[in-house]
Amino acid sequence: SAVISQKPSRDICQRGTSLTIQCQVDSQVTMMFWYRQQPGQSLTLIATANQGSEATYESGFVIDKFPISRPNLTFSTLTVSNMSPEDSSIYLCSVSGGQPTNTEAFFGQGTRLTVV
Amino acid sequence: GENVEQHPSTLSVQEGDSAVIKCTYSDSASNYFPWYKQELGKRPQLIIDIRSNVGEKKDQRIAVTLNKTAKHFSLHITETQPEDSAVYFCAASKGTNAGKSTFGDGTTLTVKP
């Protein structure tokens, strides 16, 4: 199984500022993903973080708002830019792993963001 | 894109009873269906999964069934215990990208002692 460390675990930010969330995996993984979980709701995929190329964003999410970096196969960052209270959510990093078919998803512990 | 619907949104059972949560999906290309348990303030954890070439899978008190024709799958928990209380999410994905999943809206299961 993959062990995922996410930082920070929580933060309270002022509106209009930006926050960068880090995701570190203990092994090389091909696919890394970023999800958002709004309070009391389900998980929504923001984007796939591609190593060596631009992230692939899902409908409703744009690079200017959620820039993503993936410098190598074990690390990714998600930035939440120009934050507003509506961005208050839990942001989760996820990777595909498991043997033998690499089909299990593992999640980081999440970053609880509150925008005031 | 894929759409996953999950029912019920809340479920309350007495300890020892069974609980059933149902999901439907829209994309016939989806072939991997995991179930996650999320306790309050914690990350989602995989509890059981099923592939489209299997109709049923069981792991102790937990089982999942899949009907490809009808595009629905269900989670069955028998002999429920208070520690089963949590939010359960179903999901659907394609190929080997299990991390790229479409999630249902979740079911809050409460097991009363």
Side-chain angles (χ1 to χ4, degrees), chain B residues 85-105:
Chain B
S85 296
V87 180
Y88 291 82
F89 292 99
C90 63
S93 67
K94 306 174 195 176
T96 57
N97 292 337
K100 185 176 182 180
S101 295
T102 301
F103 283 76
D105 287 341

Side-chain angles (χ1 to χ4, degrees), chain A:
Chain A
S1 65
V3 177
I4 305 172
S5 300
Q6 215 177 306
K7 293 192 297 187
S9 58
R10 59 178 62 228
D11 207 342
I12 300 173
C13 301
Q14 295 291 322
R15 67 179 67 200
T17 63
S18 298
L19 176 72
T20 295
I21 302 167
Q22 299 180 2
C23 178
Q24 178 74 54
V25 189
D26 68 341
S27 58
Q28 293 186 345
V29 293
T30 305
M31 312 294 287
M32 294 181 75
F33 307 90
W34 287 97
Y35 285 85
R36 181 174 73 183
Q37 186 173 26
Q38 293 180 304
Q41 296 191 26
S42 186
L43 287 79
T44 302
L45 181 65
I46 297 172
T48 302
N50 302 307
Q51 196 269 329
S53 64
E54 197 169 277
T56 306
Y57 289 84
E58 299 299 309
S59 177
F61 298 96
V62 296
I63 187 170
D64 290 347
K65 177 67 175 178
F66 299 100
I68 289 171
S69 78
R70 179 88 191 272
N72 55 53
L73 292 176
T74 63
F75 186 78
S76 177
T77 66
L78 168 76
T79 298
V80 186
S81 303
N82 188 24
M83 289 183 284
S84 66
E86 293 71 37
D87 295 321
S88 297
S89 285
I90 298 172
Y91 292 85
L92 294 138
C93 171
S94 174
V95 304
S96 296
Q99 296 295 331
T101 52
N102 205 41
T103 53
E104 182 173 347
F106 299 92
F107 288 90
Q109 76 272 30
T111 296
R112 184 180 295 271
L113 171 63
T114 303
V115 184
V116 297

